[in-house]
Amino acid sequence: MMRFLLGPELFWLLMYLAASLLGKANQPPTKGLDDFIESLWFWIPAASLLVFGLWWLPGVEKNWLLLRVWVAGVVGGHLVLEKAMSAYSTQGPGIGMGYLAGLMLLLFLLVVGSVVVKIWG
């Protein structure tokens, strides 16, 4: 039962819930929280590297795990970045570029993580 609970889908679900709470916490908008939201283009993809730690946990099913990491990463990354960036107080091209930069960094880190787990995993 536990091997089905531990997975990339659970990670992205928790990240989405955190992004939703962040949006609710930024009402009314504060400068400190807006600054934090601006930096999430980097921190959300960086946190996604934690998913690759699943290869070193003994109770996790490894069949199809790389495909699950990619699908959950792309879909979850899009949803989490969109939810987190929509919490920014003044929408505009700057926060939109943060979303695009975050997705590009996420794709790059998915490639790097995949290479690492195929070599050492």
Side-chain angles (χ1 to χ4, degrees):
M1 175 69 174
M2 187 58 148
R3 69 178 169 197
F4 295 114
L5 292 178
L6 286 177
E9 300 87 4
L10 177 64
F11 172 80
W12 285 108
L13 177 65
L14 294 174
M15 292 285 285
Y16 186 81
L17 292 174
S20 295
L21 291 174
L22 179 68
K24 290 178 182 170
N26 202 27
Q27 299 299 328
T30 62
K31 173 84 170 111
L33 210 45
D34 270 352
D35 291 343
F36 177 70
I37 291 170
E38 280 183 3
S39 69
L40 287 179
W41 72 269
F42 176 78
W43 292 112
I44 290 172
S48 72
L49 288 176
L50 295 173
V51 172
F52 290 102
L54 292 171
W55 269 268
W56 290 277
L57 292 177
V60 176
E61 179 65 39
K62 305 298 189 284
N63 293 334
W64 297 96
L65 184 58
L66 191 57
L67 178 64
R68 288 174 53 209
V69 165
W70 269 86
V71 171
V74 170
V75 172
H78 157 69
L79 292 173
V80 170
L81 281 167
E82 187 272 329
K83 188 70 164 177
M85 297 302 177
S86 69
Y88 193 72
S89 62
T90 55
Q91 296 295 312
I95 203 67
M97 188 57 207
Y99 166 80
L100 290 175
L103 276 184
M104 289 189 299
L105 181 60
L106 177 66
L107 290 174
F108 175 74
L109 292 177
L110 283 172
V111 170
V112 170
S114 299
V115 169
V116 167
V117 297
K118 283 300 181 183
I119 292 174
W120 288 299

